[in-house]
């Protein structure tokens, strides 16, 4: 997982949030890949006993694809200090800049092509944005790589290979996407 350029930076920020008990929001796309990616991160937090997080899935017809300013403003009002995207975010530079302006860090996990450059997130985990060897990972595959890195860096190896159960989500998302 550490072959993704910003992985170490993203993992360090998430571990700092866990250690500090910060409120974390997982903002997922609403399709099968995005929901699976959000489940992977959700299940990791639950497995390690971290409960100060929320999953947010935008309404397809009312909010549309990607991050919305109104949603992240509401998450910030609820005390979110770290936003992790799941299968979205690379096309939302303006909303991610608004997050920065509010003081909320953003880690983008996405696999879509960059349009017009990278968003100003703390970390962008995207196999298409750097020299990662497998450019075909779906969003859930990127989320799985993030969890692998969190397990390694966070000292959660005592989970005994539990992460293999997340591969069902990765497989479903890969086929669906």
């Amino acid at each position: 997982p550490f072959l993704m350029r910003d992985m170490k930076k993203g993992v360090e920020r998430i571990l700092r949030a866990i250690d500090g008990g910060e409120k974390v929001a997982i903002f997922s796309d609403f399709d099968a890949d995005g929901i699976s990616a959000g489940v992977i991160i959700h299940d990791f937090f639950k497995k390690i006993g971290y409960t100060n997080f929320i999953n947010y899935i935008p309404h397809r017809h009312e909010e549309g694809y990607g991050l919305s300013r109104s949603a992240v403003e509401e998450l910030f009002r609820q005390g979110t200090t770290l936003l992790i995207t799941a299968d979205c975010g690379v096309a939302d530079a303006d909303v991610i800049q608004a997050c920065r302006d509010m003081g909320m860090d953003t880690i983008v996990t996405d696999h879509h092509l960059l349009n017009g450059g990278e968003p100003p997130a703390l970390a962008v985990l995207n196999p298409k944005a750097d020299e990662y060897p497998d450019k075909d990972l779906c969003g859930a595959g990127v989320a799985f790589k993030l969890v692998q890195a969190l397990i390694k860096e966070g000292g959660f190896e005592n989970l005994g290979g539990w992460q293999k159960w997340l591969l069902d989500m990765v497989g479903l998302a890969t086929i669906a996407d």
Side-chain angles (χ1 to χ4, degrees):
F2 291 100
L3 295 176
M4 271 189 225
R5 183 190 61 228
D6 285 350
M7 185 65 76
K8 187 160 183 63
K9 193 179 342 176
V11 165
E12 287 173 354
R13 179 62 183 96
I14 293 169
L15 293 175
R16 194 168 73 243
I18 292 168
D19 288 343
E22 296 178 47
K23 178 129 186 203
V24 178
I26 305 162
F27 192 109
S28 303
D29 187 16
F30 46 68
D31 66 8
D33 188 17
I35 291 172
S36 297
V39 165
I40 288 167
I41 301 167
H42 166 278
D43 286 1
F44 168 74
F45 283 151
K46 292 295 251 188
K47 186 68 174 177
I48 65 167
Y50 191 71
T51 58
N52 196 15
F53 72 95
I54 184 172
N55 281 75
Y56 184 88
I57 302 170
H59 188 282
R60 177 186 298 262
H61 301 295
E62 293 174 13
E63 295 177 87
Y65 173 77
L67 299 172
S68 69
R69 186 178 297 262
S70 61
V72 298
E73 286 173 351
E74 178 57 30
L75 291 168
F76 182 73
R77 277 192 291 278
Q78 293 175 15
T80 299
T81 56
L82 176 61
L83 179 73
I84 303 171
T85 73
D87 189 38
C88 60
V90 296
D92 299 308
D94 57 335
V95 179
I96 291 172
Q97 183 60 53
C99 290
R100 285 182 68 159
D101 294 345
M102 288 184 272
M104 183 172 21
D105 288 331
T106 306
I107 298 170
V108 171
T109 73
D110 202 347
H111 70 113
H112 295 99
L113 292 172
L114 300 170
N115 289 332
E118 284 190 11
L122 176 77
V124 176
L125 308 180
N126 183 330
K128 292 181 177 83
D130 61 31
E131 298 304 313
Y132 192 76
D134 186 356
K135 303 286 186 206
D136 295 323
L137 286 178
C138 65
V142 177
F144 180 78
K145 290 296 180 184
L146 173 61
V147 167
Q148 282 184 315
L150 286 164
I151 288 170
K152 181 174 176 63
E153 286 296 302
F156 301 112
E157 288 90 357
N158 62 339
L159 298 178
W162 160 85
Q163 68 271 16
K164 70 181 177 189
W165 298 108
L166 300 175
L167 290 173
D168 290 349
M169 288 288 99
V170 176
L172 174 70
T174 300
I175 292 167
D177 210 52

